[in-house]
Amino acid sequence: MAKNLFRKTVLITGASSGIGRSTAFEFARTAPNDLKLVLTARRVDRLHQISEDIKKEIGEGVRVCVKQLDVSKPEEVKGLVEDLPEEFRDIDILVNNAGFMSGVEQAPGIPQEVMNDVWATNVIGVINMTQAILALFKKREDGGRGDIIMLGSIAGREPYVGGSVYCSSKAAIRAFTDALRKELINTRIRVMSVDPGQVYTEFNLIRYRGDQSKVDALYAGCDPLTPDDVAEVIVFATSRRENVVVADTLLFPSHQASATHIHRRL
Ligand SMILES: NC(=O)c1ccc[n+]([C@@H]2O[C@H](COP(=O)([O-])OP(=O)(O)OC[C@H]3O[C@@H](n4cnc5c(N)ncnc54)[C@H](OP(=O)(O)O)[C@@H]3O)[C@@H](O)[C@H]2O)c1
């Protein structure tokens, strides 16, 4: 795995928590000798801590650049690559991970700001990030080179009650991803989707607006995936030989078989 990641530069959005954070560590552990990581999110203090922790654990073989970025702000995404220190600009792998949901309201009671923020982040943010990095990928030989990982979700395949805004945002990205893979067929650019089911991160604490009792009820009797489980799949996909595209991966914990078919050991 390390051979195919040697000298690569990886940019991760939403690297301050959960799957994004784990993905940063997993790349660093898999390719500890010559790797560059660009860690982005809004909470830059957390990114600095992660950068320090990677340095402590891995050493100097992995260089980390911390960059504050709100993907829902097109003006921040637009100048992103040019704003990076020169040695971090030649990005090889983009992990489009930043995403969130707030609330479980159903139409017609969905707050306007939830619709705006979720779509600005999960859909427009992902498309803008992809466009910003694709311009760079397409300058490379053979029509272009580079990897794009999309964090989809079972929610993008199977909409559920109380998830209309989130599920539709992930379904939109699923359609965007499938179209993009077709549009880039004459290049060496790989477009890959990793779609988890239940993962224990801060995602649901944010969804339930800080109410830990609702998070506990959601996971009662369950053994969800860890963010490290998902990170392993992301690093596996991006470290295949160039001609292999792990196009689409659906990942469940063993007690889950669909968005709502979950066995609870209570
Ligand atoms: N947890 C699950 O069960 C699950 C299942 C399937 C798919 N997913 C997807 O996996 C991805 C990662 O989620 P997670 O579970 O790891 O949740 P998490 O622990 O809450 O992490 C979400 C990350 O996204 C970042 N983020 C949110 N809004 C952002 C914005 N506007 N600009 C930049 N960064 C932003 C957050 O960083 P800052 O707040 O510091 O900006 C944070 O680092 C999401 O796309 C989510 O939809 C999660």
Side-chain angles (χ1 to χ4, degrees):
M1 299 233 288
K3 181 171 60 100
N4 293 332
L5 294 174
F6 191 62
R7 299 231 160 109
K8 294 269 166 91
T9 302
V10 184
L11 187 150
I12 304 169
T13 67
S16 60
S17 168
I19 295 167
R21 179 186 180 281
S22 283
T23 301
F25 277 97
E26 186 64 22
F27 271 114
R29 287 171 186 147
T30 306
N33 296 324
D34 199 346
L35 183 82
K36 289 180 207 162
L37 290 175
V38 181
L39 305 184
T40 73
R42 292 165 302 181
R43 288 169 295 177
V44 78
D45 49 327
R46 285 193 177 205
L47 296 178
H48 283 297
Q49 186 60 54
I50 292 166
S51 170
E52 268 178 43
D53 292 347
I54 288 176
K55 194 181 256 179
K56 246 183 254 158
E57 183 185 320
I58 313 289
E60 301 296 327
V62 176
R63 272 165 293 163
V64 180
C65 170
V66 163
K67 176 83 183 151
Q68 188 163 39
L69 174 71
D70 182 339
V71 298
S72 72
K73 301 215 163 93
E75 63 283 7
E76 287 189 22
V77 174
K78 209 165 177 214
L80 172 71
V81 177
E82 294 71 29
D83 276 359
L84 294 174
E86 199 172 346
E87 58 165 333
F88 287 95
R89 277 184 214 154
D90 199 22
I91 292 150
D92 298 288
I93 299 170
L94 165 65
V95 183
N96 263 324
N97 166 75
F100 85 110
M101 180 56 205
S102 174
V104 289
E105 287 94 353
Q106 300 177 27
I110 303 166
Q112 185 68 49
E113 68 270 20
V114 168
M115 289 181 233
N116 292 349
D117 293 351
V118 170
W119 274 66
T121 305
N122 297 8
V123 183
I124 307 296
V126 170
I127 296 174
N128 278 334
M129 279 303 302
T130 303
Q131 298 221 99
I133 303 300
L134 254 187
L136 180 77
F137 284 5
K138 290 199 89 171
K139 286 186 188 144
R140 297 183 182 138
E141 58 185 7
D142 293 337
R145 276 199 154 67
D147 291 343
I148 302 172
I149 292 278
M150 305 290 194
L151 257 296
S153 171
I154 180 61
R157 300 173 184 233
E158 196 196 333
Y160 51 82
V161 171
S164 58
V165 170
Y166 180 65
C167 296
S168 57
S169 78
K170 289 296 183 184
I173 281 309
R174 185 160 175 78
F176 176 76
T177 301
D178 289 345
L180 188 66
R181 192 179 304 112
K182 290 172 185 166
E183 289 170 3
L184 295 171
I185 198 67
N186 59 344
T187 74
R188 285 292 201 166
I189 300 167
R190 302 189 291 192
V191 184
M192 300 176 276
S193 188
V194 175
D195 296 4
Q198 273 191 341
V199 192
Y200 197 97
T201 64
E202 291 171 24
F203 179 88
N204 280 306
L205 194 58
I206 291 166
R207 181 169 211 166
Y208 289 115
R209 300 176 182 140
D211 187 339
Q212 184 64 44
S213 65
K214 287 190 175 150
V215 176
D216 294 344
L218 184 75
Y219 290 120
C222 296
D223 183 12
L225 298 170
T226 69
D228 289 356
D229 295 328
V230 183
E232 283 176 6
V233 174
I234 293 168
V235 174
F236 176 85
T238 52
S239 57
R240 294 309 83 206
R241 171 173 94 74
E242 189 180 54
N243 201 34
V244 178
V245 184
V246 184
D248 206 1
T249 306
L250 178 61
L251 204 62
F252 285 136
S254 61
H255 64 270
Q256 182 174 21
S258 80
T260 52
H261 197 92
I262 293 166
H263 175 69
R264 293 175 193 275
R265 290 179 214 98
L266 291 171

